Amino acid sequence: PPPEEEDMKGWGFRDPRLRPFVIISIAYLLFTVTDGAIRMIVLLHAYHKSFSALQVALMFTLYELAGVFTNLAAGLMGAKWGIRFTLIVGLCLQLLSYGLLFGWQDGWSDETAIAYVTVAQMFGGIAKDLTKLGGKTVTKLVTPEGKDTRLFRLVSLLTGWKNSLKGVGYFLGSALLEVSYELALGFMMGLIVLALPFAIWGLDAELGTAKKKNSSFKEIFVWDNFNLNVLSLARLFLFASRDFWF
């Protein structure tokens, strides 16, 4: 067989080159369960407290808005400090978000509760995109040059698992909430704690850092790439429709 096929053989999940992919995928997928769950826990707990649909929607505004700015900053952070750093920070912020939700008091006014939960979820929004950076980037980093087919397979595998486990998070968060609000929060925090050792001790601090001068914010906003601009606009409507549906 041609050399390229020879190289493709044995490049499976036991290959040491895939170690970062496996470790980050475990942490990212555990995080994904908690990311799906936090939405349902907040949504249904607010519903049980008789908040209106508009009031519940307000609780999610900073969660989504924080993701916009985090997406811009996460790439620069990852290039400077590595994927390990952004992954650990993301997991810790998710812990903070869940921890703050323990403080949601029944006696608060609607305005106080909305403001508090909105800020608590803001940290969850930042955590989501910091953690997602590792999950999306590591596939490219561990794929040998010229093995685009393998790269696409890894991306599709990770994306499929992510979407499935987010659905698991929806159902699991809802089911645990039926038992106890505190149990639902505590269980999800346990999943994050379970993911942290993989990120802390399993990854090289230099993984994902830029080998040359990092891009600046000014260089990121390139307006002369027509295809990129059309894709960005399409994604804007795609995610807007998704959140409207939710």
Side-chain angles (χ1 to χ4, degrees):
E4 184 176 337
E5 290 185 18
E6 288 282 353
D7 188 51
M8 288 284 284
K9 290 180 179 179
W11 198 80
F13 284 103
R14 294 182 181 180
D15 192 309
R17 290 174 292 180
L18 273 181
R19 176 183 168 86
F21 173 77
V22 173
I23 290 172
I24 290 177
S25 295
I26 291 171
Y28 179 47
L29 294 176
L30 285 171
F31 175 91
T32 298
V33 175
T34 71
D35 183 50
I38 197 171
R39 299 189 185 200
M40 297 308 297
I41 291 171
V42 170
L43 175 68
L44 295 176
H45 194 58
Y47 172 76
H48 291 152
K49 289 176 176 291
S50 301
F51 284 90
S52 69
L54 181 58
Q55 288 174 322
V56 174
L58 286 173
M59 294 177 180
F60 287 91
T61 51
L62 284 185
Y63 174 90
E64 299 296 347
L65 189 61
V68 175
F69 295 101
T70 306
N71 264 316
L72 288 173
L76 298 177
M77 292 171 63
K80 185 172 183 179
W81 294 304
I83 292 175
R84 177 178 176 271
F85 173 82
T86 57
L87 183 60
I88 292 172
V89 172
L91 292 171
C92 289
L93 285 176
Q94 187 78 334
L95 275 177
L96 174 62
S97 181
Y98 268 102
L100 287 173
L101 288 175
F102 271 105
W104 190 354
Q105 301 296 318
D106 292 336
W108 286 349
S109 66
D110 286 355
E111 293 77 13
T112 301
I114 291 169
Y116 182 86
V117 175
T118 302
V119 171
Q121 290 215 102
M122 176 189 71
F123 293 109
I126 297 171
K128 176 192 70 175
D129 285 288
L130 284 176
T131 308
K132 184 169 67 176
L133 172 71
K136 299 293 186 182
T137 306
V138 72
T139 50
K140 178 65 175 175
L141 294 177
V142 302
T143 305
E145 204 63 41
K147 303 294 185 292
D148 289 343
T149 300
R150 182 69 67 173
L151 172 63
F152 295 144
R153 286 176 182 171
L154 288 177
V155 170
S156 61
L157 177 67
L158 185 60
T159 303
W161 273 105
K162 182 206 75 170
N163 291 333
S164 299
L165 288 177
K166 182 165 281 192
V168 170
Y170 287 158
F171 285 106
L172 190 55
S174 303
L176 290 171
L177 185 62
E178 287 295 307
V179 180
S180 165
Y181 173 68
E182 290 76 16
L183 174 64
L185 296 179
F187 184 88
M188 293 303 156
M189 290 182 77
L191 291 183
I192 303 164
V193 170
L194 187 63
L196 269 171
F198 291 99
I200 295 172
W201 290 294
L203 296 173
D204 185 347
E206 297 298 314
L207 181 67
T209 54
K211 306 304 179 186
K212 55 184 180 179
K213 183 179 178 294
N214 199 6
S215 301
S216 64
F217 272 110
K218 185 178 180 180
E219 292 171 324
I220 291 174
F221 291 98
V222 179
W223 299 101
D224 58 356
N225 188 325
F226 177 77
N227 291 335
L228 180 62
N229 292 333
V230 170
L231 179 61
S232 298
L233 185 63
R235 284 173 62 84
L236 174 67
F237 286 104
L238 172 68
F239 288 111
S241 64
R242 180 202 66 182
D243 290 328
F244 183 79
W245 171 85
F246 179 77

